[in-house]
Amino acid sequence: MQRSSIWISGPTRSGKTTHLVEAFRQWVKEIQRQAKSKPLAQQSPSPGALILAANDENRRDLGDRLAIAVRGTYPVSAKTPLGFITEEVLLFWPLLFEQLHLKAQFPLSLRPETEQELATQLWRPQLSESDLQEARISEYRFVRQTLDLLQLAGASGTPIEDISLLLQQGLPETSPPLPDRGKLILQWRQWCLERGLLSYGLIYELYWRYLLSNPQYQQHLSRRYCAIFADDLDDYPAIVKDLADFLLDREAFGTFTYNPDGQVRLGLNADPQIGRAHV
């Protein structure tokens, strides 16, 4: 079977996804041919394919196209990067529980509105209403922007301990000075982990920083997937490259599509440089 990755680059509606579907069809055909060539006693379930799409709409469309291409002869389960990462963190929570010495055995995902409310309550004693007014920013906006920084850091693979320094380097000082967002985020992270509460930002961080580097998880990942098919790579969070590199380093077959003029979700959840790095 071909082991070198297939890189498909082009603008919108240039046939990139069609080529990915054909690569998947050929891969399934080869997988099935190899399975039939083995004696029945030696046949065992083969590792599957990790199929990724940029958003839910594309995920449904890609899943349908792949299923039709193989005429239902191979199970197809397409996921978004966030969907896959969330499932993995929840499924392998016992590994994180042991590694980080957590207290909460059963994690609970937070919806953005709940995250906003809880973070506001936690940080309110440190937020001066007069300082916020003088800085011309509402409490709601300050909290939302701070939580978004956590998600940006997690999606890009940036340690949250670096947030304070990065903000000092990139933003002018406010007058009056507002609370250190980096310290607030560290406080929020600790508060959530002690209670088993998971926001999207924390899910990203737990996956790339702890789970993906865990030897036990790596063994599971290698056994489960021998191929990766990722459509619209330019709209993925940067940490997907770490996942793809891991699989490719273990001789997984890869097919990737990339739009150099894409970057629809540049910033939060999307890093176009993932494509230029040639996974």
Side-chain angles (χ1 to χ4, degrees):
M1 178 182 296
Q2 181 181 1
R3 287 298 181 183
S4 58
S5 298
I6 298 176
W7 187 263
I8 306 167
S9 180
T12 302
R13 296 196 175 279
S14 59
K16 299 187 300 299
T17 304
T18 299
H19 286 293
L20 181 144
V21 171
E22 176 58 22
F24 178 77
R25 189 183 72 81
Q26 292 294 338
W27 177 80
V28 170
K29 184 178 179 180
E30 179 64 18
I31 284 287
Q32 293 173 339
R33 184 192 66 78
Q34 290 184 0
K36 291 179 180 179
S37 66
K38 295 180 180 180
L40 186 61
Q42 297 180 12
Q43 292 184 15
S44 60
S46 301
L50 175 58
I51 303 169
L52 298 174
N55 54 56
D56 276 333
E57 182 178 354
N58 291 356
R59 176 186 62 80
R60 290 189 292 269
D61 178 66
L62 180 62
D64 290 343
R65 292 179 65 175
L66 293 176
I68 292 173
V70 298
R71 300 181 180 181
T73 61
Y74 191 88
V76 174
S77 179
K79 304 177 186 296
T80 65
L82 177 58
F84 172 77
I85 289 172
T86 300
E87 288 181 2
E88 295 296 280
V89 168
L90 295 176
L91 180 62
F92 290 94
W93 181 259
L95 295 181
L96 294 168
F97 178 85
E98 179 180 350
Q99 182 176 351
L100 299 178
H101 306 290
L102 303 176
K103 297 179 181 179
Q105 298 186 33
F106 305 101
L108 178 65
S109 299
L110 293 177
R111 297 184 61 84
E113 56 270 23
T114 306
E115 176 192 27
Q116 175 86 24
E117 181 179 351
L118 292 176
T120 300
Q121 294 176 10
L122 180 66
W123 293 338
R124 183 164 285 157
Q126 304 171 64
L127 302 179
S128 168
E129 185 176 349
S130 59
D131 287 349
L132 290 172
Q133 290 177 348
E134 190 171 345
R136 296 183 179 180
I137 185 172
S138 67
E139 180 184 74
Y140 179 90
R141 185 180 177 190
F142 178 85
V143 171
R144 186 69 265 160
Q145 288 178 347
T146 305
L147 291 172
D148 285 345
L149 287 173
L150 171 60
Q151 189 166 342
L152 281 166
S156 64
T158 301
I160 60 176
E161 293 85 357
D162 295 346
I163 291 177
S164 292
L165 179 59
L166 291 172
L167 290 177
Q168 291 174 10
Q169 295 173 344
L171 295 176
E173 292 186 5
T174 58
S175 181
L178 293 172
D180 186 327
R181 294 177 190 260
K183 291 182 179 179
L184 293 178
I185 289 173
L186 286 171
Q187 180 190 17
W188 168 249
R189 177 187 185 275
Q190 185 63 29
W191 188 88
C192 286
L193 290 181
E194 288 176 352
R195 294 159 176 79
L197 302 177
L198 299 179
S199 66
Y200 292 147
L202 286 174
I203 286 171
Y204 277 138
E205 189 207 16
L206 290 173
Y207 186 75
W208 75 265
R209 194 171 187 178
Y210 300 106
L211 191 56
L212 190 55
S213 61
N214 185 294
Q216 288 180 267
Y217 175 71
Q218 291 178 349
Q219 292 178 9
H220 283 284
L221 200 59
S222 298
R223 287 198 294 263
R224 289 159 61 201
Y225 299 114
C226 65
I228 176 172
F229 296 85
D231 199 22
D232 295 323
L233 204 63
D234 49 286
D235 278 336
Y236 288 15
I239 58 174
V240 174
K241 183 179 185 300
D242 298 332
L243 169 62
D245 281 343
F246 172 84
L247 293 173
L248 295 177
D249 287 345
R250 284 151 183 80
E251 299 186 346
F253 172 69
T255 301
F256 308 91
T257 73
Y258 174 70
N259 182 356
D261 301 316
Q263 310 170 25
V264 174
R265 287 156 46 211
L266 177 61
L268 193 59
N269 283 347
D271 185 351
Q273 299 302 324
I274 187 177
R276 298 194 180 97
H278 297 292
V279 173

